[in-house]
Amino acid sequence: MTDNFLEPQSLGVPCPRCERDLQLKKGRFGLYVGCSGYPDCDYMTAADFDPGTDAACPACQQGKLVQKTSRFGNSFYACDQYPQCKYSVNLPPVQEACPKCKFPLLLKKKTAAGERWICADDSCDYKSSIK
């Protein structure tokens, strides 16, 4: 057995697209999480994904925001209905409506002083107090 080989390991989490098990796998760019139903289902995400993210997509209202990793290694959250919906945000989403503009999504922002929630709508300037 070589260092580049890793037998896929079941994570006990259902795939958001087809409901089969997600597996931890190793590819040429490192560890990732992929659907056990590949090639019928090509769902994959970063190995450090957060399966608890249950925020609905505010753009299409059909998909969920899932954690993904860019080609540069940065995490972001995008609608799982891509390419039909191309909504994405760079900060972790919180499924709560903005008290100021009623936009259905807030984002969790970490600052030096602590954590606060900000509105996901660019035209709104809502920021919660430091938690």
Side-chain angles (χ1 to χ4, degrees):
M1 186 184 285
T2 65
D3 291 336
N4 292 337
F5 182 74
L6 174 70
E7 193 68 36
Q9 299 173 9
S10 178
L11 298 175
V13 177
C15 174
R17 288 190 190 157
C18 70
E19 299 297 319
R20 295 183 189 138
D21 275 347
L22 291 180
Q23 295 178 327
L24 180 64
K25 301 178 178 185
K26 184 171 183 176
R28 64 182 185 172
F29 298 112
L31 294 175
Y32 69 97
V33 173
C35 182
S36 62
Y38 182 83
D40 296 328
C41 177
D42 62 353
Y43 177 81
M44 72 175 81
T45 188
D48 63 347
F49 82 113
D50 180 8
T53 303
D54 224 10
C57 177
C60 70
Q61 281 115 27
Q62 295 173 358
K64 300 258 185 223
L65 296 179
V66 294
Q67 185 176 13
K68 297 188 174 203
T69 304
S70 74
R71 62 183 171 170
F72 304 110
N74 301 322
S75 290
F76 66 98
Y77 298 82
C79 183
D80 64 1
Q81 298 296 312
Y82 180 86
Q84 292 84 14
C85 178
K86 296 182 178 172
Y87 185 81
S88 67
V89 290
N90 291 330
L91 298 172
V94 177
Q95 186 65 51
E96 283 198 30
C98 175
K100 188 172 181 179
C101 72
K102 305 299 181 217
F103 191 76
L105 189 69
L106 294 175
L107 303 175
K108 197 183 304 183
K109 183 173 185 174
K110 293 181 181 175
T111 64
E115 188 177 276
R116 64 173 29 167
W117 291 353
I118 62 172
C119 184
D121 187 4
D122 293 334
S123 62
C124 180
D125 62 351
Y126 171 76
K127 294 178 185 170
S128 71
S129 58
I130 303 286
K131 295 179 181 184

